[in-house]
Amino acid sequence: MAIARQALADRLSEEIGAGKVRAALFSTFTFGREFFEKVPLSLISNDGEWRGRFPVTVIVDRSQFGGQGWGYEIVRPPGDRLWHAKVVALAVRGPGPEMSRSTVLAIGSGNLTRSGWEQNQELFHVSAWPGWALPEAIQEWLREPWLRDSMFGRWTREEGIATVPRNQRMRIVSSLKKPIWQRIEASNRGFEWNEAHVVAPFSDVDNDDALRGHQGRKFFTTLLEGARPNPKARLTVYLRGMEEEGNAAQGDPKVFEKLRKRKEIELNLRVVRPAGDRFLHAKLLALRSGRRWWVVVGSPNATGPGMIDPNGNVELALEFRNIGNGLPRGLLPKSYGIFLQDIKRPIQRRVRRWLALESAEYKPTKMENRLILKWIRNHGVDDTRVFLGDQELDPKELDLNNARVSLSKIQERAVKQERTLKTVPRSSTATHYEPGFVPIQMSADELNLPGLDDEERTADGWLELLDGGSALTLLQHDVGTGISGAKRLGRRGEKSEEPFAWKKRVKDLMIILRGFQSQIARADSKQEVEYLRSIVVKTWDAHDPEDQ
């Protein structure tokens, strides 16, 4: 178990190497669209070259979804539990004729935001293995109906993705069916610890059972059940430093005051000070039993909902079992000792979104293209305005549950580009709400790629799309002349000073099609095959003499 200080994007890039990602699953609590498209999505799609040509599914908590673009799919889990799990799962195809397969997996604490990947003090474990296989904890998610029909879920069934064999030293666990605490070996009956380290940016609150509605079991109370008083077990808690200077730490003083009174433990409190805008967000539990250590890292905080409650958050964690008589160097964060009076309970400011739509689905037909909307109970046009991009949808078409909205050509393009509806309250008294968002669901046959439905693209424009942007170089090398980029990206109907040279065009097309064969050879998903087929067909149609 090696510890390295490295940006997550760089670490993933190392594991991908010269290979290409063929499918991806992300899971997060909060989601930053602009950051995701700029960094993680560009990382796995070669700076956008392959964007939209293989399945990319992102799981985002319902209350945190804030819109999406093209080239990936957002899935929102059912709203009865907070979705807090963080993971990146990548299926990679190796370079060269052997086309080897490998799986890259990252489990940790960071959300799919700039803060989570680049700013906060986070903790991730990145691993890789040959072949395409997923841990049982992820397979457990994929059996759920709301995720089974996702792009990534369908891909795993089409490819027959296997389950990773059990590892005696390392185990990935999810709280989808049972709490994390019941899943890990360190909680088994008879397990006793004599030293514990808890890295807890967020920890138990004295009245969190009333606020959260969970069963009232707190993490620290449960943890102490396994303490071995011989003579005393040592518990060290690392808390998140606050913005003020000094040793101010975030937490509930009442919780730690009760812990300090427990006779079976020796409590040590430490603070991890922020470095600029880099705040502690890592989560870690390390327990020593005898001379061996057990370490748990991942998404759960040191709270009842995160670790104990069966109806609490959905979390994902990685347990390292019986790893030796010493913790890896660098695992615990740099910290400073503090007193009980240094702990301050912060004021929680939660974003409240106007969530009025349960779902939105794009339904194309031969006659017209529609959006089918379903309202959340007690919401409707009386209290909500619905926007597609910058355009508000007609309230008359939204005045029924399962409303059917007929789309214009402009709206249809906006659906495929944005894939999101925005809801805002009508009443001025509801100004304290942030806009709500709902992803627009599409069938697997609907390619989430701009431009493929653009019937106005010129023959030059389709030729460039067919060649992936490198046709100009190919033509200059092989033919000795080229076609200007301005003409290539033009629209049908634009006048050209030169006649359409059919003989030369056929030669150009044949050269590009020979280069196109390498893309066909690398295609290994139905979505990618359909993308390539569409480009070929429409490029050919654009060169139809009868249509010119």
Side-chain angles (χ1 to χ4, degrees):
M1 183 180 179
I3 305 298
R5 298 187 182 278
Q6 192 175 13
L8 179 59
D10 293 340
R11 184 71 183 85
L12 291 174
S13 181
E14 285 182 1
E15 291 293 348
I16 296 171
K20 293 185 181 295
V21 176
R22 310 296 348 122
L25 175 69
F26 294 84
S27 176
T28 182
F29 174 56
T30 57
F31 176 73
R33 170 184 172 179
E34 182 179 351
F35 168 75
F36 175 71
E37 294 179 359
K38 186 176 181 179
V39 179
L41 191 58
S42 293
L43 171 70
I44 66 173
S45 59
N46 293 340
D47 293 325
E49 177 189 355
W50 289 76
R51 180 172 170 183
R53 293 165 65 175
F54 59 87
V56 179
T57 297
V58 185
I59 310 173
V60 181
D61 184 76
R62 296 183 74 84
S63 66
Q64 301 299 312
F65 174 63
Q68 74 176 97
W70 67 273
Y72 58 98
E73 166 197 46
I74 294 286
V75 176
R76 300 184 306 164
D80 54 337
R81 297 171 66 185
L82 197 74
W83 188 271
H84 198 251
K86 284 96 172 171
V87 71
V88 180
L90 308 176
V92 180
R93 174 82 78 179
E98 66 277 4
M99 303 285 278
S100 60
R101 295 182 176 190
S102 63
T103 303
V104 179
L105 191 76
I107 294 178
S109 58
N111 287 297
L112 208 49
T113 61
R114 188 170 301 281
S115 295
W117 277 47
E118 295 180 354
Q119 294 175 344
N120 289 340
Q121 300 178 55
E122 307 280 4
L123 184 60
F124 271 91
H125 181 269
V126 180
S127 56
W129 51 82
W132 287 348
L134 293 169
E136 172 57 28
I138 306 296
Q139 297 279 23
E140 188 177 64
W141 292 359
L142 293 169
R143 290 191 284 269
E144 294 294 305
W146 56 270
L147 190 57
R148 177 180 169 83
D149 293 331
S150 66
M151 292 165 57
F152 187 82
R154 291 193 297 269
W155 175 83
T156 59
R157 294 197 301 278
E158 291 169 3
E159 295 290 337
I161 299 303
T163 300
V164 178
R166 291 191 176 186
N167 188 318
Q168 295 299 320
R169 304 294 295 273
M170 184 177 74
R171 187 184 179 200
I172 298 168
V173 293
S174 165
S175 63
L176 185 65
K177 301 296 184 182
K178 290 183 180 180
I180 294 294
W181 188 252
Q182 294 182 21
R183 295 272 194 171
I184 62 177
E185 184 177 306
S187 69
N188 289 349
R189 184 176 298 176
F191 182 93
E192 293 183 328
W193 58 268
N194 50 315
E195 185 177 353
H197 294 268
V198 179
V199 179
F202 306 101
S203 56
D204 282 331
V205 179
D206 195 48
N207 65 338
D208 63 351
D209 49 343
L211 294 174
R212 296 271 190 165
H214 67 78
Q215 295 181 358
R217 289 299 298 269
K218 294 180 174 58
F219 168 71
F220 286 110
T221 303
T222 305
L223 177 65
L224 294 188
E225 293 175 356
R228 180 192 296 170
N230 187 24
K232 279 190 176 183
R234 176 183 293 182
L235 170 62
T236 304
V237 182
Y238 303 74
L239 299 173
R240 180 179 188 172
M242 301 179 72
E243 289 182 279
E244 315 94 84
E245 295 182 3
N247 287 332
Q250 177 174 296
D252 189 341
K254 294 182 180 179
V255 170
F256 295 105
E257 185 176 4
K258 292 178 181 178
L259 287 178
R260 192 175 288 283
K261 295 178 180 179
R262 297 291 291 259
K263 296 180 179 181
E264 67 267 40
I265 64 165
E266 173 191 324
L267 178 65
N268 297 291
L269 299 172
R270 303 186 69 84
V271 62
V272 181
R273 294 172 181 165
D277 59 356
R278 297 184 70 246
F279 288 88
L280 175 70
H281 195 256
K283 299 95 166 61
L284 168 73
L285 170 64
L287 300 173
R288 181 164 66 91
S289 179
R291 294 185 178 182
R292 297 291 179 176
W293 283 93
W294 275 253
V295 176
V296 179
V297 299
S299 65
N301 287 297
T303 64
M307 292 286 284
I308 309 298
D309 184 7
N311 299 313
N313 307 341
V314 177
E315 309 278 4
L316 191 69
L318 179 60
E319 181 186 28
F320 296 91
R321 299 179 284 189
N322 199 10
I323 63 175
N325 60 3
L327 289 176
R329 181 176 297 179
L331 180 63
L332 297 175
K334 183 179 179 180
S335 60
Y336 304 87
I338 57 173
F339 298 103
L340 190 59
Q341 57 265 30
D342 294 322
I343 300 176
K344 299 180 181 179
R345 184 171 176 177
I347 299 174
Q348 297 290 339
R349 294 184 176 90
R350 294 189 179 180
V351 175
R352 300 182 64 189
R353 295 193 181 275
W354 187 259
L355 303 177
L357 283 175
E358 176 66 30
S359 63
E361 186 177 4
Y362 175 65
K363 283 279 190 180
T365 65
K366 292 184 179 180
M367 300 298 294
E368 63 176 348
N369 296 315
R370 295 175 175 176
L371 279 179
I372 309 298
L373 309 183
K374 184 177 180 180
W375 292 100
I376 292 176
R377 186 176 180 181
N378 299 326
H379 284 289
V381 293
D382 293 337
D383 67 353
T384 303
R385 300 169 67 191
V386 182
F387 289 84
L388 173 59
D390 295 329
Q391 183 178 357
E392 183 176 1
L393 298 182
D394 187 352
K396 294 180 181 178
E397 294 184 295
L398 303 176
D399 200 19
L400 294 171
N401 203 25
N402 296 322
R404 298 173 179 266
V405 181
S406 299
L407 299 173
S408 65
K409 281 288 185 183
I410 295 177
Q411 288 175 322
E412 186 181 347
R413 289 180 185 176
V415 166
K416 294 185 177 181
Q417 284 278 9
E418 295 297 325
R419 292 200 60 177
T420 307
L421 292 179
K422 179 174 71 174
T423 58
V424 298
R426 288 189 180 277
S427 172
S428 59
T429 60
T431 54
H432 56 284
Y433 283 92
E434 295 287 333
F437 299 87
V438 62
I440 299 174
Q441 302 169 18
M442 292 186 178
S443 68
D445 297 331
E446 287 299 321
L447 288 174
N448 191 17
L449 293 154
L452 289 186
D453 60 342
D454 188 355
E455 301 300 339
E456 296 180 352
R457 189 182 295 273
T458 63
D460 287 335
W462 282 114
L463 200 65
E464 179 166 309
L465 194 61
L466 174 70
D467 192 54
S470 59
L472 182 59
T473 304
L474 266 174
L475 293 173
Q476 288 174 335
H477 274 285
D478 297 338
V479 183
T481 182
I483 303 170
S484 71
K487 284 183 64 180
R488 282 180 168 239
L489 297 176
R491 300 295 181 189
R492 282 194 181 184
E494 291 184 358
K495 294 182 179 180
S496 173
E497 296 179 0
E498 300 179 2
F500 198 82
W502 284 106
K503 184 176 181 179
K504 177 181 177 301
R505 299 292 295 188
V506 171
K507 289 183 178 180
D508 295 346
L509 187 58
M510 292 303 296
I511 292 170
I512 293 173
L513 284 175
R514 284 198 293 271
F516 191 67
Q517 289 177 352
S518 63
Q519 296 188 48
I520 296 174
R522 292 197 301 265
D524 50 20
S525 70
K526 288 184 178 180
Q527 187 181 24
E528 189 177 340
V529 170
E530 179 62 20
Y531 171 82
L532 299 177
R533 186 198 66 80
S534 298
I535 293 178
V536 171
V537 170
K538 292 188 178 182
T539 302
W540 195 267
D541 289 345
H543 287 76
D544 185 354
E546 295 181 2
D547 191 44
Q548 296 284 343

